[in-house]
Amino acid sequence: MLMNSNSNHLNISRRVARIFLLSVLLGISNVGLAEPVDSDALLRTIPESFKSAASQYSLMLDGCKGDPKIPRSYEGGQLKMVAPKDWTSGFFAGSLWYLYEFTHDPKWQAAAVDYTARLESIKDYQGSHDVGFILGCSFGNGYRLTKNPAYLEIMNQGAESLTTRFNPNVGLLRSWDHGKWNYPVIIDNMMNLEFLIDVSKQAGKSRYREIAFSHADKTTKNHFRDDSSSFHVVDYDPVTGEVLAKKTHQGAADGSSWARGQAWALYGYTMMFRETGNPVYLSQATKVADFILNHPRLPADKIPYWDFDAAAIPDVPRDASAAAVMSSALIELSTKTTGKASSQYLALAQQQLISLSSPNYTAKVDENGNFILMHSVGNMPANSEVNVPINYADYYYLEALLRYRRLKETL
Ligand code: GLY
């Protein structure tokens, strides 16, 4: 990982050199993203990556036995455990579902059922937009894999709670109730629409879909700059629905491109196009993808700095979580596009997954607090979770590996 010292700078150079060597071995060129990648080589590493993930999460489960909370991150040698209302509470259960999906081992199903059940109270939680993240990753994956009708009932109630945050004057779901804002909407909120659409399909509630479309449409209108990068927070007037301010909360500056924010936008619009076929959403997804792909400060290993405009680049931390979200989204986007664009999106996802699966980002078993990936950034301005493992990086990484395997199986 990159930090502010000369010795770290040397380590970084060695790591970049190792990635370059790995890329050469896999037939990838660091210049020219449209270069063909030896995709079979990446495919062959997936069982090994899941094996290492399973070893880490087995140790994690053992270490957390008896604690009702949920592992979120590992900072300063301490495991950070959170309650269901924390926005990240659904990712650990989600990763357990992905381990079950890959291995079919009932051990993972039992663990996933346990960590999913811990989140049931969120079905009645109206205090944040994150209900979609929390219940979608846990109950949503659980329902997809087991069709347990009790899960659908909980998801239904959760969607009802989430939609209490929709104000028709504004046409958007309100993200937060805290802070100095009037009616804050963050780009991350695009990710909660998948949950609403999913429940709408399963339970036949068209209102949830309509709310999701309204949210996405208004976000398209107000959240993006001329270069197609996304602001983090747009604050609205709750009575008139007018935009009051465009700001950041977790980025380097109001006008900067916070890496995970770009990742949420890319993923959110790719998902919206999958669910609707609306070309406006595809166009937004490809514009964000192109912004990332062509960015002069996207490093050679394709794992972004925590903010594309961070002042001290290259001596600032990377954000593996942003890369994990991006790679998962890009695999899907490559299937919705054709020609050079499609190959470029897939090549970028492949390069990100190769980097994330390398020892530069994947921890050794029994290290890293038993999380899979190292080097994510939670909230740099608050100096919180900087260059640490975080559960959502692991979740989207496993998802991307599963998506990649599925893509290759269907070719
Ligand atoms: N949704 C909060 C974050 O990405 O940090």
Side-chain angles (χ1 to χ4, degrees), residues 87 129-130 133 186 188 250 258 260 264 378 392:
W87 82 274
H129 70 126
D130 292 320
F133 269 123
I186 60 176
D188 325 27
Q250 279 157 266
W258 174 50
R260 201 164 51 256
W264 294 143
Y392 45 88

Side-chain angles (χ1 to χ4, degrees), residues 123-351:
K123 70 183 191 302
D124 299 314
Y125 183 43
Q126 301 182 1
S128 161
H129 70 126
D130 292 320
V131 165
F133 269 123
I134 297 170
L135 297 184
C137 299
S138 55
F139 286 93
N141 276 309
Y143 184 71
R144 181 175 63 80
L145 293 169
T146 67
K147 294 288 175 271
N148 178 349
Y151 283 3
L152 187 55
E153 248 172 70
I154 289 162
M155 289 161 66
N156 217 333
Q157 183 56 37
E160 202 54 40
S161 298
L162 178 53
T163 54
T164 62
R165 302 188 65 75
F166 183 77
N167 173 345
N169 293 345
V170 187
L172 290 144
L173 292 153
R174 181 183 176 122
S175 301
W176 299 324
D177 291 343
H178 60 78
K180 57 194 170 184
W181 318 99
N182 295 282
Y183 192 101
V185 178
I186 60 176
I187 190 63
D188 325 27
N189 209 333
M190 285 296 299
M191 299 295 286
N192 292 305
L193 307 184
E194 185 166 15
F195 174 68
L196 287 183
I197 292 176
D198 200 23
V199 178
S200 167
K201 277 194 295 199
Q202 307 292 348
K205 297 265 178 84
S206 60
R207 192 171 69 89
Y208 300 158
R209 284 176 81 77
E210 282 151 22
I211 287 174
F213 299 162
S214 170
H215 186 101
D217 290 345
K218 205 143 185 199
T219 301
T220 313
K221 189 162 166 247
N222 293 327
H223 241 92
F224 293 92
R225 308 184 182 103
D226 289 347
D227 66 1
S228 302
S229 65
S230 173
F231 285 96
H232 185 199
V233 189
V234 177
D235 196 22
Y236 290 89
D237 182 320
V239 177
T240 65
E242 290 305 306
V243 172
L244 297 175
K246 300 188 178 189
K247 297 281 187 184
T248 197
H249 180 64
Q250 279 157 266
D254 292 341
S256 77
S257 297
W258 174 50
R260 201 164 51 256
Q262 311 317 305
W264 294 143
L266 173 66
Y267 193 115
Y269 281 97
T270 303
M271 173 279 296
M272 285 303 292
F273 178 68
R274 177 222 305 148
E275 295 298 339
T276 63
N278 182 343
V280 174
Y281 299 145
L282 180 63
S283 162
Q284 195 60 53
T286 58
K287 282 194 234 169
V288 178
D290 293 343
F291 172 83
I292 295 166
L293 181 68
N294 299 317
H295 202 287
R297 289 186 292 281
L298 182 66
D301 70 356
K302 310 303 175 192
I303 311 300
Y305 299 106
W306 72 276
D307 189 303
F308 284 96
D309 301 302
I313 285 175
D315 295 327
V316 301
R318 306 295 188 83
D319 183 8
S321 78
V325 175
M326 286 172 186
S327 61
S328 187
L330 286 164
I331 291 166
E332 178 159 60
L333 188 58
S334 77
T335 68
K336 310 290 179 202
T337 46
T338 55
K340 187 174 167 207
S342 168
S343 342
Q344 286 185 319
Y345 300 149
L346 187 59
L348 178 53
Q350 287 165 327
Q351 289 179 307

